[in-house]
Every structure is written in structure tokens, then in C-alpha cells.
Amino acid sequence: MELLATFGVVLALAALLSGLAARTPLSTSLLVLVAGAVLGPGVLGVVDIHADNPIVSTLASIALVTVLFTDGQHLSIGQVRDTARLAGRALLLAMPLTALGIAALTVLVTDLGWLPAFLIGAVLSPTDPVFAAAIVQRDEIPQRLRRLLNVESGINDGLALPVVLILLAQGGTPQGSTEPLVLIGELVGGVALGIAVPFAVKGLTRLPGFNAGAAPALLVLAAGLTLFGVAELTHTNPYLAAFVGGVTFATILPEVREAFAELGEQLSEAAKLLALLVFGGLLTPTLLGSVPIGGWVLAALSLVLIRPAALLASLTTSRLPMNQRVVAAWFGPKGFASVVYGLLVLESGAPEAQEEFAIIAAVVAVSIIVHSSTDVPVARWLRNRTGGQDDGLGGEPGASPQATPTPTEHR
């Protein structure tokens, strides 16, 4: 109850400051993170949250799935197809390069070996849709860039999970099946589930007596809850299921998706802020003090060097303008997916798990602070460079213009 009451107060303050946050580098994400750290067990002790409490990973997973589901509804399948080449470069080239770069840097600046370093690289390789949304949802950002970041952050969380599980098993602390066919089945099952549920909902709306005209938003909400629940029960990939489900809804039931848009944005914002408050509570002086100097060096260089270099390399021969490549390269935030996977590392009980989690938490915290505070300046810089022009292309030859719905802006 202390957590619920505290979150109510913090959420009210975040809502009251949201207008200011939308116009300035000050972000509600940063304010809630700081509030969690101050109110958590490390300082005032108002909220007693610890990493071994299941509520931490549960809230992070719910926030991630909620944002993936709502963000997926900003895209139709046609728009995803138009962005496929650019997104493919980010997912198949930049993501592995980022993981390898972080692993090499970890070995260089810390006393960890290669296996823990590869594990940290895998955990920190995906970008986060929760904080990418801060820039994806800004009107100043050209459509092709928004779609690239949206598709990349929507899919890479699910792709990173099997790699994390395999590396944990290699360290002798498996956190689930690592059989190749099982892992592939989980990925394929997540995609299939994300397609099947929206089509099932569409089929139900055509039956006599079934009409969601009075409550279309609740119908989409119910489908989202069903997606998450069934994915967990069947052990399919919940992150791919959520994102693909959102895209499928936007494609086959656009009128229902439009009715859900405002409610979905508000729900995802609330889930994000609650998870941020809890994560902030983990950032105790003890945890931060256990991060080695090399861990802080890793946090800085992984954000300003490794991710930018990896994405710029992957986009070298693309037709995306250089200023948009720079923005995409800079805006590679780490967030709730890395927190969830970091908690898997901590729960593994491996000898170096505490140090690994502390480093992961430090990188995520620095990313939240930096990326959530730079979306406004970056968007303004890009607007000034492009003069507000947007060709609406998907970023590769043959792409066709598509209209992108403008969601409610949150920071």
C-alpha cells in the first residue's frame, strides 16, 4: 500500500509537470527516477523495494509489454514493410555489433571475463521502446526515422532474450530451456500469437450480437491482456507478441485502434512511470557504490561510442540522410528490457552476478537520464536541419508514403 500511495502522489506531480516537460529538457521520466531513488530504501525508506522482490521484474515486464503493444499500433503492416530494410540493418547488423562492442569494452575496463562480458553486451544490446517513444512521438522527427526507431525498439527486445538465456546456460546457471528448437518456437510463437489474437477479435466482431461500438477501447485492452496472459502461459515470446499484436490491430481494425489510442497512451505512460519509480528504488547508494570505475566508463562509452558507431556503420550505404542517421545513432536508450534481463542475471546466482547487475543498472540509469533529457534539444536540432521537411518514405528504394498517426506526447 505504501508503494501505491507513493505512486499516486508521484503520478499526480508528473501529470502536473507534463506540460513543462514537453517543452524543455526536463523530463517526467527523470523526475520519477529521482523520486524513486530518494523515496527508496537507500535514502528515506518510504518504499521498501529490493532487487529480489518479484514485483520489480513483474512491473518492468508489464511496462515493456504495454508500451510495445501501444507503440505497435502506430504502424500498419505496410509501414513496417516499407521500413524493413532500414530496420533490418539496425536489428541484424547494429544490434550484434553493439553487443560485441560492449562485451569488448567490458573486458577492457573491468575485471570481468569474456563470458560475463558477452552476457552484459547481450543484456544491453536492445534499445528501449519506453524511452525511444519520447523522440518517436515528436512531430519534428521525420516519418522514416520515427518508423525505423519504432520497429527497431519494438522487435529487438524479443530477439535479445534467447541470446541472454543461452549465455546464462553457458555460465552454468540456466534460466529456462536453451534448446534451439524451443527458442525458435518461442520467437515464432510470439509472432503467431500477435497475429492470431487480433484476427480472432475481428472474427468475433462479425458474429451476430457481437458489437464493440459502445466500448471499442476496452476491446483492444482486453485483447492486450489476453496476449500477455496467453504468451506467459504458453511460454512464447511476450515482447514480440505484444508488438506484432499492436501492428496487426492497426492494420485490420484501424477504427478500433483509433478508439484505443488515447487510453493506450495513458495506460502505457502510467505503467512506465510506476516501473521507473520501482527501478529508482533499486538505485541505492550501496548498489551505485558497488559499480567499479570501469563500470561507469562502460556506461558512458556504450552510449556515446558503441551504439552510435554500430548504427552508423550499419546505415553506411542506406539512403537515410546523415542528420537522421546521427539522431538514430544517438538515440539508442537502454531501459526496461535490460532491467528484466539484468534481473535474470541477478537471479542466476552466478559468482559475478551482483557486479554484472550493478553495471547493467548503472548503464540503464545513465541512459534514462541522458536520453530522456535530450529528446527536446535533438528534435529541435533535427527540425532546424531539415526545415520541417519530411518525404514520408520508408527509407529505402521503393518505399511509398504512408500516413503516421500522431500519438499523445509524453515524456
Side-chain angles (χ1 to χ4, degrees):
M1 295 308 294
E2 291 85 356
L3 176 60
L4 182 61
T6 302
F7 177 62
V9 174
V10 172
L11 182 61
L13 291 175
L16 292 170
L17 292 172
S18 60
L20 177 64
R23 301 189 303 272
T24 69
L26 175 71
S27 70
T28 54
S29 297
L30 177 57
L31 291 175
V32 173
L33 182 72
V34 172
V38 172
L39 297 172
V43 183
L44 298 180
V46 175
V47 179
D48 189 21
I49 292 294
H50 300 279
D52 58 356
N53 190 330
I55 195 174
V56 178
S57 57
T58 299
L59 288 176
S61 293
I62 290 174
L64 185 57
V65 167
T66 303
V67 174
L68 286 169
F69 184 60
T70 54
D71 273 10
Q73 294 178 50
H74 300 155
L75 297 164
S76 67
I77 290 178
Q79 292 169 342
V80 173
R81 183 179 60 247
D82 287 345
T83 316
R85 290 187 181 180
L86 278 179
R89 291 169 180 264
L91 292 167
L92 302 179
L93 292 176
M95 187 177 173
L97 287 174
T98 299
L100 292 174
I102 291 176
L105 186 60
T106 300
V107 171
L108 184 64
V109 302
T110 73
D111 59 358
L112 294 172
W114 277 105
L115 184 57
F118 279 125
L119 183 56
I120 290 176
V123 169
L124 294 174
S125 61
T127 58
D128 193 88
V130 177
F131 302 105
I135 198 163
V136 168
Q137 295 176 4
R138 300 195 69 86
D139 292 336
E140 304 98 315
I141 305 301
Q143 286 183 14
R144 67 166 75 179
L145 178 56
R146 289 155 67 176
R147 292 176 192 163
L148 166 62
L149 293 173
N150 201 352
V151 174
E152 179 199 7
S153 62
I155 295 177
N156 60 17
D157 296 321
L159 297 182
L161 180 57
V163 180
V164 172
L165 295 177
I166 290 172
L167 290 171
L168 283 172
Q170 290 299 311
T173 54
Q175 295 290 299
S177 176
T178 56
E179 291 292 329
L181 290 179
V182 174
L183 294 175
I184 293 173
E186 290 176 353
L187 293 174
V188 174
V191 174
L193 186 62
I195 295 173
V197 170
F199 271 98
V201 170
K202 183 175 182 178
L204 288 173
T205 61
R206 292 181 171 180
L207 294 177
F210 282 70
N211 191 326
L218 291 181
L219 180 63
V220 181
L221 176 60
L225 293 172
T226 301
L227 266 174
F228 187 30
V230 173
E232 290 294 320
L233 290 172
T234 58
H235 302 290
T236 53
N237 195 299
Y239 309 124
L240 284 178
F243 185 73
V244 172
V247 173
T248 307
F249 260 110
T251 304
I252 67 173
L253 287 168
E255 66 285 353
V256 175
R257 185 264 302 163
E258 289 171 5
F260 177 73
E262 184 174 355
L263 174 61
E265 294 297 331
Q266 300 295 337
L267 287 174
S268 64
E269 182 70 3
K272 177 190 85 171
L273 294 180
L274 178 55
L276 264 176
L277 181 71
V278 171
F279 176 63
L282 299 181
L283 303 178
T284 63
T286 301
L287 177 72
L288 298 179
S290 68
V291 179
I293 296 298
W296 294 110
V297 173
L298 174 66
L301 294 183
S302 65
L303 301 180
V304 303
L305 177 62
I306 303 300
R307 154 71 184 192
L311 193 67
L312 287 174
S314 71
L315 296 176
T316 299
T317 59
S318 75
R319 296 176 59 183
L320 196 69
M322 180 54 70
N323 53 15
Q324 295 184 35
R325 294 186 208 176
V326 170
V327 172
W330 164 244
F331 217 80
K334 315 302 172 187
F336 293 148
S338 296
V339 172
V340 173
Y341 302 156
L343 289 169
L344 288 178
V345 174
L346 187 63
E347 292 167 2
S348 71
E352 298 163 318
Q354 290 282 350
E355 183 178 357
E356 292 167 6
F357 178 74
I359 291 174
I360 291 167
V363 175
V364 172
V366 171
S367 177
I368 292 172
I369 293 170
V370 172
H371 289 115
S372 67
S373 301
T374 56
D375 59 327
V376 171
V378 167
R380 288 174 178 169
W381 174 82
L382 186 59
R383 179 187 60 195
N384 292 335
R385 292 294 299 269
T386 61
Q389 299 297 315
D390 179 18
D391 56 18
L393 297 176
E396 291 292 331
S400 58
Q402 298 277 357
T404 298
T406 303
T408 305
E409 181 178 280
H410 292 292
R411 296 185 64 242

